[in-house]
Amino acid sequence: MFIHKNKRVLVGVTGGIAAYKSPELVRRLKDRGCDVRVVMSEGAKAFITPLTLQAVSGNKVHEELLDEEAELGMGHIELARWAEQIVIAPATANFIAKLAAGRADDLLSTLVLATSAEIAVAPAMNQQMWQHPSTAENLSLLQDRGVRVIGPGSGDQACGEVGPGRMTDPTEIATLLAGEALARPLVGKRVLITAGPTWEAMDPVRGITNHSSGKMGFALAEAALDCGAEVTLVSGPVHLETPAGATRIDVRSAQNMLEAVLENVNSADYFVAVAAVADYRPINVAEQKIKKTDESDEMTIRLVKNPDILATVGAMPNRPYCIGFAAETENQIAHARAKLTRKNVDIIAANNVAGDEGAFGSDQNAVTLIHHNGEIEIPTNDKYAVAISMWRHILKLANSA
Ligand code: PMT
């Protein structure tokens, strides 16, 4: 359930430099008519005073586990029952670890254990801490328990390093919690997206394909729709519902996909090639099911190269702004940068597809956007959140091109 007027929202503030952004979050929640109370951890008070948060929330800030002023002397239970939504922003690596372990050694961690409210965390930390496997495991555990993870963003950090770990902008956190569409910067724009695998038939029942589920492409379509775009989604064989409002064209092979793209690309402002297109297809497609023979234990299938859809669009004279993906099991960045040039596109989103944790089929992804002047990391998150982040960066890059 989204936040709305009169919703009782508890903002938890933990001890990181991003705590200076918490008053702004409180204000954005109050703008939406929410009743906001704030709980600060001990560490948070090193970065911001309770008085500031009291002034913006209009309520006393809660700090102590044992509160003599609380009706039953048990502030954590009262607050846990009061809250309909809890959002912890910033959520430090330490606090995330505490939540994952179920520890209850201060007011905030205790009330989170005692509540039935929806919980969201907006992580903020040094980029190395964000990328540490412990943090990733803790967050994945929290997500499995239904905790919503918002962000973080990527960029310059207070510690002087650059990378993922910046707390998501407070306006964006409030917007996401309110279920409102983010600003609609794609209104009036047409977006053409390929998604899913292709199926390259050998005979009527067998073919060559891959593990793409279509989730990343569909998430980009949904995010583009939420940003106001008109979306055409050319999809290989997947079991996903069409995002509401998208025009979907179902295809099977790379050649079908190319035809559908060529029919729609002239009116597109953005072309996003997310599909995992088979690079080769069988030269001959048997009309009947190929039979096993006793003559040999081996069988040879001759393959021929498929057309490269992204490179074809990249070579067009008045082409749309082009974004490709690179699914790599090694040297992601170097391979992705080579594709950027070879396919003559504007951005390549490099993602790791190695091992069980790879992007194929998963609900989560992390990508590095490789463009002609640098790289932008979008850290692990659910594919819709990654897609929203991608569109934000794509638009910035396209508008500055
Ligand atoms: O569908 P999911 O399960 O959510 O998984 C998402 C994903 C891993 C499939 C997706 O994030 C991804 O990485 N897609 C690209 C996969 C791929 O085939 O990469 P590639 O390195 O082979 O191709 C590079 C780019 O050229 C891609 O944009 C691809 O769409 C495009 N291409 C490739 C070959 C070809 N013949 N035509 C193309 O257009």
Side-chain angles (χ1 to χ4, degrees), residues 194 196 211-217 273-279 306-310 324-328 339 343 351 353 359-362 365 383:
T194 65
H211 294 302
S212 170
S213 62
K215 287 178 187 171
M216 190 66 234
V274 196
V277 185
D279 287 325
N306 261 330
D308 190 311
I309 303 165
L310 181 59
F325 269 72
E328 305 290 351
K339 280 178 190 169
K343 302 198 185 208
N351 55 194
V353 289
F360 276 115
S362 157
N365 200 5
K383 284 181 174 170

Side-chain angles (χ1 to χ4, degrees), residues 7 14 23-24 35 56 117 126 175 181 217 268 307 377 400:
K7 188 141 181 175
T14 66
E24 178 71 13
D35 185 0
V56 289
N126 161 272
T175 305
E377 298 250 357
S400 64

